[in-house]
Amino acid sequence: MNAAARLVEVRVPDMGNFKDVAVIDVLVKPGESIEPEAPLVTLETEKATMDVPSTASGVIEKIHVDKGGKVNAGDLIATVRSAGDVAAPAQAAALAAPSEAAKAAAAASAAVPAGTTGKPTSTVVSTPAQPGSTAGSAPAQGGASAVAELPATLRTDLPPINEPGFSRAHAGPSVRKLARELGVDLTRVAGHGFKGRITHDDVKAFVKELMTSPGAAAGAGAVARSGGGALPGVPAVDFAAFGPVETQPLSRIQRISGPRLHASWVNIPHVTQFDEADITELEALRGKLKESAAQRGIKLTPLAFIVRACVKALQAFPQFNASLDPTGANLILKKYLNVGFAADTPNGLMVPVVSEADRKDIYEVARQLGELSEAARGGKLSAAQMQGGCFTISSLGGIGGTAFTPIINAPEVAILGVSRSTMKPVYQDGTFVPRLMLPLSLSYDHRVIDGAAAVRFTTFLAKTLAEPHTLIEAVP
């Protein structure tokens, strides 16, 4: 077999509908020894960051991408000379005459638990990092970096790390190394990389949160004690001291959505406007159309009418179909109308998006709602089906409730909450008549929308829902 036949090509995996994805970090360099699943590069989409793992063990022959570049599915990332072939010259030289610092690093790494697979790991001697190297690269020898390389059990300035949990954490070697250098317990870090993998950015974000939240930083180590944020922390409580407990990990969806919801809540000044819509006529019309919809294989739900009504309201009030730019000084008005909706799934809430909702009639909207809901429950939603939303609807009417305060799905500026409709006596033409009333809860970003605009929006929306015949055809 010739030398070329022993090279393994590692390419960008299928990333759904993402194109021209940014390479934000290159985690290895030519001559380095790697194991399968070792992260090679970190990619960043508008939704999340992810490490691309190696599919082979051996020595990095060549890196074909650069930090700051763009890649697509199938692009070549690296070529790896598979294990057992001729070792890289630099590695052979390092193994032949290891420096005293390298010996110390190897001895320190022997005290660190192996990776998530539980298999023994070989000792790799790293060369000193060059100027401009990334956090995942080998640090310079001596000084504070040498202290950082020591296991947490030998550091007096850091709190103890949960070693069994640390060894099971879903993270690559470079991320583990960074976590130990910063004194971060990986059991406390939520992973947002590929299949929930903890990335370098997750560790850095965790440290940043500790530094800005002194209450949460209590007992979290020297890196956290320098914080000065305004948010008070929640005290840690040993619940087992009061009785039996059971710890259940959050689902992947909860681990991803939790930080985003938190960020939305603390960064956006939420205000919620409550209103009611008379949907007596809407339900009567829906009852008449259900049979014809069923003949087309469509389940005609009230949500389809609500989506159509929101489309008309968004066209009448374009500031609700907008987003603030990153500087916060400009409003980006969108000329398209994609409406997201919260879908209840076994693993948590997901937000599929009905694209071009203004160009679909009531039947097509209902069809897409059904298809997206089924895909969400089956865990088969593509990334493209959850992107590009302009406005979100969270409908809990099928479960119950009278009102609630939905959290804005940033970077959108408003979200509509819908609760259970009830029959109420409504005063009309000098007498009380029974009418089916639907509670509406509109949360909005007060930086973009004021109270008067919010009331006008819900009033228009309620009036539109009360005239359901205008909702059947697509909005021109």
Side-chain angles (χ1 to χ4, degrees):
M1 182 179 295
N2 56 37
R6 294 193 293 268
L7 293 180
V8 178
E9 294 184 342
V10 181
R11 297 182 178 273
V12 178
D14 182 16
M15 299 180 293
N17 203 36
F18 290 109
K19 303 292 184 184
D20 296 326
V21 177
V23 179
I24 63 172
D25 208 350
V26 177
L27 307 176
V28 294
K29 56 183 179 293
E32 273 192 21
S33 293
I34 59 168
E35 298 293 333
E37 298 300 315
L40 302 179
V41 297
T42 302
L43 308 182
E44 183 179 56
T45 70
E46 59 213 65
K47 292 290 186 180
T49 60
M50 67 178 231
D51 286 357
V52 176
S54 173
T55 56
S57 64
V59 178
I60 298 292
E61 183 80 5
K62 185 177 181 181
I63 299 295
H64 299 272
V65 296
D66 297 314
K67 184 176 180 179
K70 304 284 186 181
V71 296
N72 293 287
D75 286 356
L76 182 60
I77 295 177
T79 49
V80 179
R81 186 172 296 279
S82 61
D85 295 333
V86 179
Q91 184 192 27
L95 288 175
S99 66
E100 291 303 315
K103 291 178 182 178
S109 65
V112 180
T116 56
T117 60
K119 298 177 180 179
T121 56
S122 58
T123 301
V124 179
V125 180
S126 301
T127 58
Q130 301 301 317
S133 63
T134 64
S137 303
Q141 303 293 339
S145 297
V147 175
E149 293 238 6
L150 291 175
T153 52
L154 303 181
R155 301 270 305 268
T156 58
D157 61 324
L158 298 178
I161 286 178
N162 177 0
E163 293 294 350
F166 192 99
S167 66
R168 293 191 300 269
H170 190 28
S174 62
V175 175
R176 293 175 182 279
K177 182 177 180 181
L178 175 63
R180 288 198 178 276
E181 290 175 354
L182 299 178
V184 173
D185 188 347
L186 289 180
T187 60
R188 301 177 58 195
V189 181
H192 300 96
F194 182 64
K195 294 186 178 180
R197 178 186 290 270
I198 299 173
T199 67
H200 291 79
D201 284 343
D202 292 330
V203 175
K204 295 172 186 176
F206 178 81
V207 173
K208 185 180 294 184
E209 182 178 356
L210 290 179
M211 293 179 68
T212 57
S213 302
V223 70
R225 289 195 288 271
S226 62
L231 293 177
V234 177
V237 177
D238 182 10
F239 300 105
F242 308 103
V245 298
E246 178 185 355
T247 301
Q248 294 183 349
L250 294 176
S251 69
R252 180 174 179 271
I253 293 176
Q254 289 173 317
R255 294 197 307 270
I256 294 174
S257 63
R260 294 178 182 173
L261 291 170
H262 185 218
S264 177
W265 185 254
V266 299
N267 286 290
I268 297 177
H270 283 63
V271 181
T272 304
Q273 168 67 31
F274 302 101
D275 212 329
E276 286 184 321
D278 186 341
I279 61 168
T280 310
E281 300 300 328
L282 187 154
E283 277 300 288
L285 176 62
R286 189 171 74 91
K288 296 177 182 178
L289 299 178
K290 284 173 67 173
E291 184 176 350
S292 62
Q295 292 174 353
R296 306 184 193 186
I298 299 171
K299 184 178 180 181
L300 191 59
T301 64
L303 182 58
F305 288 89
I306 296 171
V307 170
R308 298 287 294 111
C310 286
V311 166
K312 298 190 73 171
L314 291 169
Q315 289 187 321
F317 299 90
Q319 71 267 41
F320 285 78
N321 187 30
S323 290
L324 282 169
D325 74 357
T327 69
N330 302 291
L331 194 61
I332 301 173
L333 298 171
K334 301 164 189 174
K335 303 302 183 181
Y336 53 90
L337 275 166
N338 302 331
V339 179
F341 67 98
D344 188 19
T345 76
N347 294 319
L349 289 178
M350 303 186 74
V351 184
V353 175
V354 179
S355 59
E356 298 184 327
D358 54 325
R359 301 184 180 184
K360 295 179 169 67
D361 62 18
I362 195 71
Y363 297 106
E364 187 55 33
V365 168
R367 182 192 301 278
Q368 195 164 1
L369 287 172
E371 292 173 351
L372 290 171
S373 297
E374 184 177 355
R377 288 189 293 269
K380 298 179 180 179
L381 279 176
S382 68
Q385 291 173 313
M386 294 186 288
Q387 293 177 327
C390 305
F391 182 85
T392 299
I393 302 170
S394 180
S395 178
L396 303 177
I399 303 172
T402 56
F404 63 105
T405 54
I407 298 178
I408 297 167
N409 187 19
E412 298 168 14
V413 296
I415 181 173
L416 178 70
V418 180
S419 300
R420 179 175 54 192
S421 59
T422 56
M423 194 66 71
K424 290 185 177 182
V426 177
Y427 192 72
Q428 289 183 351
D429 301 326
T431 185
F432 284 97
V433 294
R435 306 296 292 180
L436 187 62
M437 305 301 293
L438 179 69
L440 306 175
S441 305
L442 177 74
S443 290
Y444 56 93
D445 186 339
H446 212 337
R447 298 172 299 177
V448 178
I449 301 162
D450 59 28
V455 173
R456 293 188 183 101
F457 185 93
T458 57
T459 300
F460 181 94
L461 184 61
K463 181 181 178 182
T464 304
L465 288 169
E467 301 171 348
H469 291 279
T470 65
L471 302 177
I472 297 176
E473 299 298 328
V475 179

